[in-house]
Structure formats: structure tokens, C-alpha cells
Amino acid sequence: MKPVIGIPGNILTNFSPRYNSLPITYTPQGFVEGLHAAGALPVVFPISNEENAKQYVKSVDAIVLAGGQDVSPLTYGEEPHMKLQDTSLERDKFEMAVIKEAWAENKPVLAICRGLQIFNVAFGGTLYQDVSLYPELGLQHVQESTPETAAHTVTLEEDSWLGQLYGKKASVNSYHHQAIKKLADGLRPVGWSYDGLIEAFESSDDQHITVGVQWHPELMIHNSDAAQGLFDAYVQTVIDWKKKQA
């Protein structure tokens, strides 16, 4: 049986002029294609309440957290900065419920871009509401080049899951204007950009399988073996985890 991977979805309201204001539940197609190619069955969870989050998590083998809006600073006790962009507190609360249930059940989680940020906030971490607030900012984190193009490198801990996959350095794309400020307990940083921002984390214990990346591998899967390789390796990790639970 193929592993089933749950992806908490987002709501789109501006699909086209013809369907203006028609809410549509979705996830970016790159996640679907990347997980299909890796041998998994992705399913999308519509935004819902905390009680439903628990049942959704119980119905799948693992979770992938996708990108999207800014994380509301209300979730980590701050007021909105002038450079804050669109937020969805409803999505934030639902995804944090999904995250905490997956953690409680020791189910694997791959957190991408906003996913990395909301996972960090769910366990007490904080964010720079805009990367311009980071005092050591020294490179372009919202790239001007096309999505499938690598924009900068990330230095990785060699003994980490990501380090074993990529090596000491990974060339990645970059589409984030928020970033980790304070890392949550239970997580360890394993990847940094040239200017020192945390670009990747993993769970710091042996009980949980958690990998977070600030870049967007789902946008590079057709042009980068390493990007598809991340999904391949994650799905294999889920398969191995399932065997241990049997």
C-alpha cells in the first residue's frame, strides 16, 4: 500500500474574473506531482476546526505543510508590523492543530516555507514579520528569477537528515519575506543562508521525524533532481516509519 500524505489546504478566492469571490480549496500542484512521483498518495485537508484536525491526521500516514500567506503575529504575541502581508488566522489555528496532533502521534512531517514558519510558531517560536527586520540581512530572499531557478545556497549540518541528502550545501530557490527569529524548543537548526538566517530545521529528538525547509522544492521538481529527491527521500522515510509501527 502506498503511504497517504495529508496536505492542509488553502482557500483561493480570486481564481479568475469569471469566478470572482468563489472560494476554492487547493494546494499547489507541485506537491501533488512531487509526492505522486515519489510513490505516495497525497490528499488535501480543507481548513476546518481543531476537532476535525485530529481526525484528519489519524486518517493519514504523514503530513506535508505547504506555503501561502504570512503567519499572523497574533499567534506568537506580537502586533502586526507595517510590512506584514495577507494572513489567515483561521488557517493558522487549523494547521497548528494538525501539527500538534501529528507530533502527539509521532507522525512524520515535512514543512515547507510557510509550513516551516507555522510549525515553529506552533511550539513557541517566533518570526521576523519581514526579513528587512533581520539585522544581518545580506542577500535576496524574495528572488526575482523564475521559480525553478536556484537563487542562493544553504549550508547544512552534515549529520542531519537534509545534510545526508544534499551534502554540505544545497542550491535552493527563495520566496519568503518572513523568517525564523526564535527557534522553538524541540527543534534544532540544520541549515543557514549566507547571512545567517535559519533555512532548515529538524526535530532534536529521536522520537519525532520532522523536517522543515524555507525553500520551495515543489517548484523545482521538473528541473532539479535534488528537489524531487527531497520528496523521494521523505516518502521513503514515511514507508520505513510505517514498517516500524507494524
Side-chain angles (χ1 to χ4, degrees):
M1 295 288 291
K2 294 181 178 181
V4 180
I5 312 293
I7 308 172
N10 199 0
I11 296 176
L12 183 70
T13 57
N14 58 345
F15 176 64
S16 73
R18 183 178 179 185
Y19 301 108
N20 190 36
S21 299
L22 174 66
I24 297 172
T25 294
Y26 79 100
T27 197
Q29 183 65 16
F31 291 108
V32 175
E33 294 181 9
L35 290 169
H36 273 158
L41 295 178
V43 295
V44 180
F45 302 159
I47 295 172
S48 188
N49 57 40
E50 184 174 353
E51 181 180 349
N52 288 341
K54 292 182 178 182
Q55 189 166 346
Y56 278 127
V57 172
K58 290 182 184 300
S59 71
V60 299
D61 299 308
I63 299 293
V64 169
L65 299 169
Q69 302 97 325
D70 287 358
V71 176
S72 171
L74 297 178
T75 59
Y76 50 94
E78 292 185 9
E79 294 296 326
H81 188 271
M82 292 293 291
K83 293 187 176 181
L84 184 73
Q85 298 178 11
D86 290 346
T87 63
S88 171
L89 193 56
E90 182 185 20
R91 183 185 181 192
D92 293 343
K93 290 178 178 178
F94 176 67
E95 289 193 348
M96 287 193 288
V98 168
I99 289 163
K100 290 176 181 178
E101 183 63 25
W103 185 270
E105 296 187 24
N106 295 332
K107 291 192 174 181
V109 176
L110 174 61
I112 293 174
C113 196
R114 170 198 151 88
L116 166 142
Q117 296 164 8
I118 192 67
F119 195 104
N120 182 56
V121 168
F123 290 106
T126 63
L127 304 175
Y128 291 106
Q129 294 187 43
D130 186 82
V131 290
S132 64
L133 302 174
Y134 174 58
E136 305 300 323
L137 185 67
L139 59 81
Q140 189 180 73
H141 287 277
V142 183
Q143 70 187 63
E144 297 294 334
S145 51
T146 55
E148 67 274 10
T149 304
H152 66 77
T153 60
V154 171
T155 301
L156 298 166
E157 288 280 5
E158 291 185 73
D159 68 342
S160 66
W161 186 89
L162 286 165
Q164 293 177 46
L165 180 64
Y166 281 97
K168 293 182 181 179
K169 281 196 174 183
S171 296
V172 303
N173 56 6
S174 189
Y175 287 96
H176 67 103
H177 87 103
Q178 295 195 310
I180 292 174
K181 182 192 293 183
K182 173 182 172 285
L183 188 65
D185 293 340
L187 302 174
R188 69 166 182 138
V190 299
W192 300 264
S193 56
Y194 175 79
D195 54 5
L197 278 172
I198 295 173
E199 291 269 344
F201 63 58
E202 297 177 11
S203 47
S204 57
D205 60 60
D206 295 329
Q207 186 176 4
H208 296 94
I209 301 171
T210 302
V211 179
V213 299
Q214 186 61 82
W215 59 93
H216 284 272
E218 81 283 2
L219 299 177
M220 301 180 73
I221 56 174
H222 298 299
N223 301 81
S224 167
D225 291 340
Q228 180 58 50
L230 177 57
F231 289 105
D232 294 344
Y234 179 64
V235 170
Q236 186 58 53
T237 296
V238 175
I239 292 171
D240 294 341
W241 174 83
K242 282 188 66 178
K243 289 179 180 177
K244 289 180 181 179
Q245 309 309 305

